Amino acid sequence: MTSREIREAFLAFFTGKGHQIVPSAPVVIKNDPTLMFTNAGMNQFKDIFLGEAQATYPRVADTQRCLRVSGKHNDLEEVGIDTYHHTLFEMLGNWSFGDYFKKEAIAWSWELLTEVYKLDRDRLYVTVFEGDSADGLTKDDEAYGYWKAFVSEDRILMGSKKDNFWEMGDTGPCGPCSEIHVDCRPDSERRAVDGKTLVNADHPQVIEIWNLVFMQFNRQRDGSLKPLPAKHVDTGMGFERLVRVIQGKRSNYDTDVFQPIIGYIAAKAGVNYGEGEKTDIAMRVMADHIRAVAFAIADGQLPSNNKAGYVIRRILRRGVRYAYTFLHFKDPFLHELVPLLAKQFEGVFDELIAQQDFVQKVVLEEEQSFLRTLVSGVQRFENYVAEHRAISGDFAFELYDTFGFPIDLTELLAREKGATVDMPAFHRALNEQKNRSRAATAIDADDWVVLRAGDAVDFVGYDHLECETEIHKYRKITLKGKDQYQIVLATTPFYAEGGGQVGDTGLLIGIGGRPVAVTDTKRENGLWVHYTKELPNNLEGTFTAKVDAVKRRDTEANHSATHLLHAALKQVLGEHVNQKGSLVNANYLRFDFSHFTKVEEGDLIQIERIVNEKVRENIALKEERGVPFQQAIDAGVTALFGEKYGDEVRVITFDEKFSKELCGGTHVRATGQIGFFKIISESAVAAGVRRVEAITGAAAEQFVDEQSRLVRELGALLNNPKDVVSALDRLLEENTALKKEVEQALVAKALQLKAELASKAEDVNGVKAIIARVDLPSADGVKTLSYALKGDIDNLFLVLGTDIAGKPGLTVVISDTLVKERNWNAAAIVRELAKEIGGGGGGQPFYATAGGKDISGLDGALSKAKTYIQTGMM
């Protein structure tokens, strides 16, 4: 069977068992503070398992793209080295939400594997939870009993809590699980060693392919377990491993999931896969990493230096580094793999083929940028190793973190130079970074205190800014060392952060009590969570929830303006424009969109004009709630890639022929309420993505007033000419001419000093030494003088001291011959001399500079230099 047929067979099988096939969620997670990426098939159903949302269907199945490169599931450094780790992978899964349980899950898994996929029963083993006395849990006899109907008891193995008890996290839903393992070894090896002894022993050919999780309990903060009100099934089967087993391969990378891409890489590199360990690893790394990078970009996560974007950039740079080092691709190459990948997943994950050009261009620009960084990183290594016999852990970590160097590359470069790397220090720096990252996002949360049953929240904020309500539950959390409270209300007018719009703030007012400030509102796993710094006096009472009306009004104006801006950008720049991110708050709006060149000033003026025309037309908002998703898409409504939409959606329209978008945010009742729209900046965010920032209403009016005031003041400074711009141009031209005259005078003075200094050069131990204090007003003049002397005098050792605006400076220049033959190093010398002036410096072996704070030490530094040259102590 081909991989496509294997996937289709899985989905067809569970369709036949009454399951609804649902689409994969985006690989990038946007509304869960505990996760950056979808790392398991169950992520999109997390709120159902937590009891914070109702299941639309009691039985579902899907194939979910997952990414495991950060946090607990950090497999990145293993990817490509072994043959079974991946960054992006598919997880085939079937779920039951309070419907069937262990009996059906076990029977169907066995039926699919042995009767549909025709796996050899004699190669299969299953594991069952053995129990845990600390949790008061006995052996899972129920699962054991069901397995006995299909598997001989010598193939039913007991598993510990570590392997056979699944938990969502430190708290939350959990339960025993049954794993299905397959022994892929040749018959001769199977006869020699019983396969059951190798289950869960990290043997590369005896592997788990399916995990059946039976969610029965809820782990409390104190570690205790409570039975869930409804029992669920959550299964996950690694698609790439399954294909490997069915196709009879010894490696995931040998299957038709990866071989088309690996074959393309091999042909372009002029090598054969399977003939060299290093080139094989490089091809596996590239074939794997392009999948993770391409789908993350398609789902809306661009490479960057922060959080999820940083993870994607690291993955991409690791792929480029392997291509550059081991396959000798000196020009961008990974982007060529995007069309192959898009075609491979057409009809499965169409997000990629729909954005193929965009994704390919982003990857290309990232590759170009990193290859430039790579060259500078290698140069930085060369400079460092010229001054050090050993590579410090901190420097190795800098290369790893800033320049994307895998640590094994740094070790390789060090060995070539006869140097060593302080690996313990490197690992300490790496762990410190991981700990800082975890600490920055760690939330310590107490268990929920439930006051009233039920978690369903009635949001009335589209229609009302205040309402009567009660508290369902609350809990204390600690974030960055500060205590806060999360409150869930029965009914709320507070909009929860989402779709780029910030959460509402306001007050929770109880009868007879002091109002409690709501500082933010967010959605977490389906819950509407209100943040406060304190709790109301009487938690059982009735409250008035009141939104900050002024902040909401300004936020709505900016959000509606964002929709108008999106439509205007498409109209002026083209239909390729798609939203890639946004931020909407009361102060301004920020809109990121796909476009590969700077937006010209004339286009920005036209875009701004179109938006303001729509504002003046005072177009009434058309809001449609509960529209079937497919009906909305068929009607031409704009949807965003990387968003997870429900079966029913909300459509926001401002003029049927201009702006129609799926949106859950709040908006003005008519565009005239926006008042006035003004673009304040346009810039690049990432490869292929531009950003526009704009303001509306009173903020826009104040901005224009300020600009007008600046123009008036500038005119006054220029004696109020009729044409301020022309007058300023003339002034700048005059300034440029004067600067050139000053520069010419400096050069003339430097050349005059050159002759004087050259005549005073002393011959010391075969070296032409010049050590002097010079009077030049700029560092550029000193540099010009230094290079002029270096070019004219052989075997030069030059040290110049300067006093520029009261700040001492030192310049050391050594001829290339002395650097090579005597191993002298200007950077090392200038650092020693700089101690005399209370400073530091550095540079290259032939040219280095230093600055300091103590001008009185300048003569001492020059005397020290004379001692160096006279004694030969370099």
Side-chain angles (χ1 to χ4, degrees), residues 96-277:
S96 165
F97 305 119
D99 188 23
Y100 63 83
F101 202 46
K102 296 179 184 178
K103 180 179 180 180
E104 294 85 351
I106 288 171
W108 292 340
S109 64
W110 190 258
E111 180 184 351
L112 178 61
L113 291 178
T114 61
E115 297 181 23
V116 177
Y117 291 141
K118 307 295 183 184
L119 296 190
D120 185 349
R121 289 173 168 81
D122 291 337
R123 290 180 175 270
L124 298 177
Y125 298 87
V126 299
T127 62
V128 171
F129 179 51
E130 67 184 7
D132 185 79
S133 58
D135 277 332
L137 297 173
T138 59
K139 169 188 166 187
D140 190 354
D141 287 319
E142 184 182 5
Y144 190 94
Y146 290 132
W147 275 121
K148 286 199 303 183
F150 307 103
V151 187
S152 60
E153 291 191 60
D154 64 327
R155 291 177 176 275
I156 306 175
L157 311 177
M158 294 298 100
S160 65
K161 179 180 176 181
K162 173 180 175 292
D163 291 321
N164 280 85
F165 194 87
W166 186 91
E167 305 204 41
M168 183 181 291
D170 294 334
T171 60
C174 55
C177 61
S178 261
E179 298 171 339
I180 303 173
H181 296 252
V182 60
D183 186 346
C184 301
R185 295 175 301 154
D187 289 339
S188 58
E189 292 185 25
R190 293 174 61 217
R191 286 191 294 270
V193 179
D194 193 337
K196 68 182 181 184
T197 66
L198 302 176
V199 169
N200 279 330
D202 292 326
H203 192 288
Q205 299 300 322
V206 182
I207 57 175
E208 172 201 335
I209 56 169
W210 207 343
N211 191 12
L212 316 179
V213 178
F214 309 119
M215 292 197 189
Q216 298 177 242
F217 306 104
N218 193 16
R219 175 79 68 182
Q220 303 298 298
R221 181 176 169 80
D222 63 5
S224 63
L225 294 172
K226 288 186 177 180
L228 287 171
K231 297 177 180 179
H232 310 296
V233 171
D234 162 18
T235 85
M237 178 158 53
F239 175 68
E240 292 79 8
R241 287 189 178 188
L242 176 65
V243 174
R244 163 190 169 182
V245 172
I246 293 174
Q247 294 184 352
K249 306 296 184 181
R250 293 182 63 82
S251 161
N252 296 1
Y253 292 97
D254 293 337
T255 68
D256 66 349
V257 176
F258 290 98
Q259 275 302 304
I261 293 177
I262 288 176
Y264 182 86
I265 297 170
K268 290 288 185 177
V271 299
N272 293 320
Y273 183 69
E275 294 186 356
E277 181 183 13

Side-chain angles (χ1 to χ4, degrees), residues 501-787:
Q501 181 176 332
V502 298
D504 279 332
T505 61
L507 297 172
L508 193 59
I509 306 168
I511 298 173
R514 186 177 62 184
V516 171
V518 176
T519 59
D520 200 359
T521 312
K522 296 179 182 290
R523 283 194 71 177
E524 293 186 11
N525 303 315
L527 281 182
W528 233 263
V529 178
H530 307 76
Y531 286 74
T532 67
K533 294 181 179 178
E534 58 183 337
L535 290 173
N537 293 331
N538 179 15
L539 293 165
E540 302 284 349
T542 300
F543 298 87
T544 298
K546 187 174 183 179
V547 173
D548 183 329
V550 174
K551 181 180 175 183
R552 167 74 86 84
R553 178 200 66 199
D554 292 341
T555 302
E556 288 179 340
N558 284 331
H559 198 158
S560 297
T562 300
H563 283 225
L564 302 182
L565 171 62
H566 192 184
L569 285 164
K570 283 180 174 287
Q571 186 173 316
V572 174
L573 302 180
E575 287 298 319
H576 67 279
V577 168
N578 284 302
Q579 181 175 333
K580 293 300 175 186
S582 69
L583 171 66
V584 175
N585 59 33
N587 300 317
Y588 76 109
L589 66 93
R590 186 179 74 206
F591 188 77
D592 299 342
F593 58 96
S594 51
H595 190 62
F596 283 89
T597 58
K598 177 178 173 61
V599 182
E600 298 298 332
E601 184 68 24
D603 288 336
L604 287 174
I605 292 171
Q606 186 180 355
I607 291 162
E608 196 175 82
R609 185 178 295 129
I610 291 170
V611 173
N612 280 313
E613 284 174 357
K614 296 300 178 182
V615 170
R616 289 190 295 273
E617 288 176 21
N618 197 28
I619 303 165
L621 165 69
K622 180 183 177 182
E623 178 202 26
E624 300 169 89
R625 303 177 192 174
V627 180
F629 174 74
Q630 196 56 51
Q631 178 182 319
I633 296 302
D634 293 343
V637 175
T638 299
L640 305 181
F641 290 108
E643 289 291 334
K644 178 68 176 176
Y645 295 105
D647 295 325
E648 293 185 342
V649 294
R650 180 167 172 261
V651 179
I652 297 297
T653 303
F654 290 108
D655 185 343
E656 293 281 350
K657 297 181 179 179
F658 186 69
S659 172
K660 294 179 68 173
E661 294 193 25
L662 300 184
C663 182
T666 64
H667 289 273
V668 297
R669 295 292 177 259
T671 58
Q673 293 176 277
I674 295 171
F676 179 55
F677 172 83
K678 183 65 183 175
I679 294 174
I680 56 174
S681 71
E682 189 276 341
S683 61
V685 177
V689 179
R690 307 296 299 183
R691 170 173 292 172
V692 164
E693 294 183 330
I695 49 180
T696 64
E701 184 180 340
Q702 292 168 7
F703 178 83
V704 171
D705 288 345
E706 178 65 15
Q707 295 298 303
S708 297
R709 183 188 64 79
L710 289 174
V711 171
R712 287 195 302 272
E713 290 182 0
L714 183 60
L717 290 172
L718 297 171
N719 295 321
N720 295 313
K722 291 182 179 180
D723 188 341
V724 173
V725 174
S726 296
L728 186 58
D729 278 342
R730 287 194 298 273
L731 186 63
L732 292 173
E733 288 173 2
E734 290 172 7
N735 188 52
T736 300
L738 289 171
K739 280 185 177 179
K740 286 183 178 178
E741 290 179 17
V742 171
E743 288 171 2
Q744 289 169 356
L746 286 174
V747 170
K749 184 172 184 179
L751 293 176
Q752 181 182 356
L753 280 171
K754 171 193 162 187
E756 293 177 12
L757 292 172
S759 66
K760 298 176 181 178
E762 298 181 31
D763 194 338
V764 182
N765 299 324
V767 175
K768 291 291 186 180
I770 301 175
I771 300 171
R773 187 165 177 166
V774 295
D775 181 18
L776 285 171
S778 73
D780 286 341
V782 179
K783 187 174 183 179
T784 299
L785 173 61
S786 300
Y787 274 95

